[in-house]
Amino acid sequence: VLGIAPYEGMKKLMSDLVEDYPEIDLTLFVGDLEEGLEIAHSNFHGSYDVVISRGGTAKMLRRNLPLPVVEIPVSMYDLLCSLKLAGASARAGKVSMVAFDNITANVLDYDIDIRTVDDGPEAEAILAGMQQDCCEAILCDAVSNAAAKRLGFNSFLITSGPDSIRQAFEQALFLCRNQPRLREENLFFRELLHG
Protein backbone atom coordinates (compact mmCIF):
# COMPACT_ATOMS: atom_id res chain seq x y z
CA VAL A 1 0.00 0.00 0.00
CA LEU A 2 1.26 3.47 -0.92
CA GLY A 3 0.05 6.02 1.63
CA ILE A 4 0.10 9.70 0.73
CA ALA A 5 -0.90 11.81 3.71
CA PRO A 6 -1.78 15.47 3.15
CA TYR A 7 -0.21 16.50 6.49
CA GLU A 8 2.52 15.20 8.80
CA GLY A 9 0.17 14.31 11.69
CA MET A 10 -1.80 11.94 9.47
CA LYS A 11 1.41 10.22 8.36
CA LYS A 12 2.35 9.62 12.01
CA LEU A 13 -1.12 8.32 12.86
CA MET A 14 -1.15 6.00 9.83
CA SER A 15 2.29 4.71 10.78
CA ASP A 16 1.13 3.96 14.33
CA LEU A 17 -2.15 2.32 13.30
CA VAL A 18 -0.73 0.10 10.55
CA GLU A 19 0.95 -1.96 13.28
CA ASP A 20 -2.52 -3.41 13.94
CA TYR A 21 -2.58 -4.65 10.31
CA PRO A 22 0.38 -7.01 9.82
CA GLU A 23 -0.87 -7.96 6.33
CA ILE A 24 -0.38 -4.36 5.12
CA ASP A 25 3.06 -3.37 3.83
CA LEU A 26 2.70 0.42 3.98
CA THR A 27 5.04 2.99 2.43
CA LEU A 28 4.19 6.50 3.62
CA PHE A 29 4.85 9.99 2.25
CA VAL A 30 3.51 13.47 2.98
CA GLY A 31 2.26 15.48 0.01
CA ASP A 32 -0.80 17.43 -0.99
CA LEU A 33 -2.43 17.68 -4.43
CA GLU A 34 0.24 18.02 -7.16
CA GLU A 35 2.99 17.14 -4.70
CA GLY A 36 1.11 13.98 -3.76
CA LEU A 37 0.62 13.08 -7.41
CA GLU A 38 4.33 13.62 -8.09
CA ILE A 39 5.18 11.35 -5.14
CA ALA A 40 2.87 8.67 -6.53
CA HIS A 41 4.38 8.90 -10.02
CA SER A 42 7.97 8.83 -8.74
CA ASN A 43 7.24 5.80 -6.55
CA PHE A 44 5.29 3.85 -9.13
CA HIS A 45 8.22 1.51 -9.65
CA GLY A 46 7.08 -0.24 -6.46
CA SER A 47 4.60 -3.04 -6.80
CA TYR A 48 1.71 -1.34 -5.03
CA ASP A 49 -1.77 -2.79 -5.03
CA VAL A 50 -3.61 0.27 -3.75
CA VAL A 51 -3.06 3.91 -2.77
CA ILE A 52 -4.51 5.53 0.36
CA SER A 53 -4.95 9.30 0.65
CA ARG A 54 -7.50 11.94 1.66
CA GLY A 55 -9.53 14.84 0.31
CA GLY A 56 -8.45 16.66 -2.84
CA THR A 57 -5.28 14.60 -3.06
CA ALA A 58 -7.28 11.36 -3.16
CA LYS A 59 -9.51 12.84 -5.90
CA MET A 60 -6.48 13.87 -7.95
CA LEU A 61 -4.78 10.50 -7.51
CA ARG A 62 -7.97 8.68 -8.51
CA ARG A 63 -8.12 10.68 -11.77
CA ASN A 64 -4.45 10.17 -12.63
CA LEU A 65 -3.41 6.69 -11.45
CA PRO A 66 -4.28 3.24 -12.81
CA LEU A 67 -4.39 1.80 -9.27
CA PRO A 68 -7.40 1.86 -6.97
CA VAL A 69 -7.31 4.81 -4.57
CA VAL A 70 -8.91 4.45 -1.15
CA GLU A 71 -9.95 7.73 0.41
CA ILE A 72 -9.54 8.28 4.14
CA PRO A 73 -12.93 9.67 5.10
CA VAL A 74 -13.70 12.65 7.28
CA SER A 75 -16.24 11.27 9.71
CA MET A 76 -18.94 13.23 11.46
CA TYR A 77 -16.91 12.79 14.66
CA ASP A 78 -13.84 14.30 12.95
CA LEU A 79 -15.93 17.28 11.84
CA LEU A 80 -17.52 17.74 15.26
CA CYS A 81 -14.09 17.82 16.91
CA SER A 82 -12.93 20.47 14.44
CA LEU A 83 -16.13 22.47 14.84
CA LYS A 84 -15.75 22.40 18.61
CA LEU A 85 -12.18 23.70 18.40
CA ALA A 86 -13.10 26.44 15.95
CA GLY A 87 -16.25 27.40 17.85
CA ALA A 88 -14.35 27.73 21.12
CA SER A 89 -11.82 29.95 19.40
CA ALA A 90 -14.44 32.10 17.68
CA ARG A 91 -16.41 32.68 20.92
CA ALA A 92 -19.79 32.76 19.15
CA GLY A 93 -18.36 34.64 16.18
CA LYS A 94 -18.60 33.58 12.57
CA VAL A 95 -17.09 30.19 11.65
CA SER A 96 -16.55 29.24 8.00
CA MET A 97 -15.26 26.20 6.17
CA VAL A 98 -13.09 26.10 3.04
CA ALA A 99 -12.28 22.63 1.67
CA PHE A 100 -12.69 20.22 -1.23
CA ASP A 101 -16.18 18.85 -1.86
CA ASN A 102 -15.43 15.38 -0.50
CA ILE A 103 -14.92 17.06 2.89
CA THR A 104 -17.57 19.81 2.78
CA ALA A 105 -20.26 17.32 1.69
CA ASN A 106 -20.32 15.92 5.24
CA VAL A 107 -21.49 19.17 6.83
CA LEU A 108 -25.25 19.17 6.63
CA ASP A 109 -27.18 21.15 9.21
CA TYR A 110 -24.58 23.46 10.68
CA ASP A 111 -24.95 27.20 10.53
CA ILE A 112 -21.56 27.88 9.03
CA ASP A 113 -20.47 29.43 5.77
CA ILE A 114 -19.16 26.64 3.51
CA ARG A 115 -16.94 27.35 0.52
CA THR A 116 -16.04 24.41 -1.70
CA VAL A 117 -12.84 24.46 -3.76
CA ASP A 118 -11.68 22.43 -6.76
CA ASP A 119 -7.94 23.14 -6.66
CA GLY A 120 -5.19 24.82 -4.65
CA PRO A 121 -5.12 28.22 -6.39
CA GLU A 122 -8.89 28.49 -6.03
CA ALA A 123 -8.58 27.98 -2.26
CA GLU A 124 -6.23 30.95 -2.00
CA ALA A 125 -8.55 33.11 -4.13
CA ILE A 126 -11.64 32.19 -2.07
CA LEU A 127 -9.82 32.91 1.18
CA ALA A 128 -8.52 36.24 -0.09
CA GLY A 129 -12.10 37.18 -0.94
CA MET A 130 -13.18 36.28 2.60
CA GLN A 131 -10.80 38.69 4.32
CA GLN A 132 -13.56 41.31 4.59
CA ASP A 133 -16.13 38.84 5.98
CA CYS A 134 -15.15 39.26 9.67
CA CYS A 135 -14.71 35.53 10.00
CA GLU A 136 -13.21 34.58 13.38
CA ALA A 137 -12.33 30.96 12.58
CA ILE A 138 -12.04 28.85 9.45
CA LEU A 139 -12.13 25.06 9.22
CA CYS A 140 -9.89 23.88 6.40
CA ASP A 141 -8.49 20.88 4.61
CA ALA A 142 -4.69 20.79 4.27
CA VAL A 143 -4.50 22.93 1.11
CA SER A 144 -6.87 25.60 2.39
CA ASN A 145 -5.23 25.60 5.82
CA ALA A 146 -1.82 26.43 4.35
CA ALA A 147 -3.36 29.27 2.33
CA ALA A 148 -5.35 30.53 5.34
CA LYS A 149 -2.22 30.65 7.50
CA ARG A 150 -0.38 32.63 4.77
CA LEU A 151 -3.26 35.12 4.70
CA GLY A 152 -3.35 35.50 8.50
CA PHE A 153 -6.63 33.69 9.24
CA ASN A 154 -7.34 31.86 12.48
CA SER A 155 -7.65 28.46 10.78
CA PHE A 156 -8.16 24.92 12.01
CA LEU A 157 -7.14 21.83 10.05
CA ILE A 158 -9.89 19.25 9.73
CA THR A 159 -8.13 16.05 10.70
CA SER A 160 -9.14 12.44 10.22
CA GLY A 161 -9.05 10.41 13.41
CA PRO A 162 -7.97 6.82 14.06
CA ASP A 163 -11.36 5.33 13.18
CA SER A 164 -11.35 7.02 9.77
CA ILE A 165 -7.85 5.72 9.02
CA ARG A 166 -8.80 2.22 10.18
CA GLN A 167 -11.80 2.35 7.86
CA ALA A 168 -9.47 3.16 4.93
CA PHE A 169 -7.10 0.32 5.89
CA GLU A 170 -10.04 -2.11 6.02
CA GLN A 171 -11.24 -0.97 2.60
CA ALA A 172 -7.71 -1.36 1.16
CA LEU A 173 -7.52 -4.90 2.54
CA PHE A 174 -10.92 -5.71 1.07
CA LEU A 175 -9.80 -4.47 -2.36
CA CYS A 176 -6.52 -6.39 -2.20
CA ARG A 177 -8.23 -9.60 -1.16
CA ASN A 178 -10.67 -9.36 -4.06
CA GLN A 179 -8.23 -8.30 -6.80
CA PRO A 180 -6.84 -11.81 -7.48
CA ARG A 181 -10.36 -13.22 -7.80
CA LEU A 182 -11.35 -10.38 -10.15
CA ARG A 183 -8.20 -10.92 -12.25
CA GLU A 184 -8.97 -14.63 -12.51
CA GLU A 185 -12.55 -13.89 -13.58
CA ASN A 186 -11.32 -11.34 -16.10
CA LEU A 187 -8.81 -13.83 -17.54
CA PHE A 188 -11.52 -16.51 -17.71
CA PHE A 189 -13.89 -14.18 -19.62
CA ARG A 190 -11.09 -13.09 -21.99
CA GLU A 191 -10.24 -16.72 -22.77
CA LEU A 192 -13.94 -17.46 -23.24
CA LEU A 193 -14.29 -14.55 -25.70
CA HIS A 194 -11.18 -15.57 -27.62
CA GLY A 195 -12.34 -19.20 -27.74
Side-chain angles (χ1 to χ4, degrees):
V1 175
L2 176 62
I4 300 178
Y7 55 92
E8 190 64 43
M10 179 177 279
K11 178 184 175 189
K12 168 89 171 85
L13 188 56
M14 290 174 76
S15 177
D16 291 345
L17 292 173
V18 78
E19 292 177 13
D20 296 338
Y21 298 88
E23 61 271 59
I24 294 180
D25 180 12
L26 181 65
T27 304
L28 278 170
F29 295 94
V30 175
D32 211 9
L33 293 180
E34 288 84 8
E35 184 184 1
L37 182 59
E38 179 59 36
I39 289 168
H41 281 142
S42 64
N43 286 282
F44 229 68
H45 61 276
S47 57
Y48 297 109
D49 297 307
V50 66
V51 179
I52 295 179
S53 193
R54 188 188 93 154
T57 306
K59 283 180 70 171
M60 181 175 280
L61 293 170
R62 196 172 281 135
R63 285 192 307 258
N64 291 285
L65 296 179
L67 288 177
V69 176
V70 172
E71 182 176 347
I72 296 169
V74 175
S75 71
M76 193 53 69
Y77 179 76
D78 298 334
L79 283 171
L80 287 172
C81 289
S82 298
L83 280 166
K84 186 166 179 65
L85 281 172
S89 173
R91 290 184 175 58
K94 184 177 178 184
V95 176
S96 294
M97 177 186 282
V98 178
F100 279 80
D101 64 346
N102 44 354
I103 292 177
T104 60
N106 293 324
V107 182
L108 302 173
D109 297 325
Y110 291 96
D111 186 23
I112 62 173
D113 177 32
I114 299 172
R115 314 280 177 105
T116 302
V117 300
D118 292 316
D119 58 39
E122 184 183 18
E124 186 118 15
I126 286 173
L127 286 160
M130 293 174 66
Q131 287 182 314
Q132 305 303 318
D133 290 349
C134 300
C135 188
E136 290 190 35
I138 298 182
L139 296 171
C140 301
D141 58 12
V143 171
S144 302
N145 191 51
K149 295 283 186 208
R150 281 193 301 276
L151 293 170
F153 282 101
N154 182 26
S155 64
F156 295 85
L157 177 65
I158 301 168
T159 59
S160 292
D163 289 339
S164 296
I165 292 172
R166 282 189 185 97
Q167 184 178 342
F169 284 160
E170 294 291 338
Q171 188 177 357
L173 284 172
F174 176 79
L175 282 171
C176 290
R177 286 181 186 130
N178 286 303
Q179 277 182 346
R181 184 181 58 81
L182 292 174
R183 274 191 223 116
E184 286 174 15
E185 284 181 9
N186 194 8
L187 181 62
F188 170 76
F189 287 124
R190 266 195 232 150
E191 289 174 355
L192 198 63
L193 286 172
H194 286 284

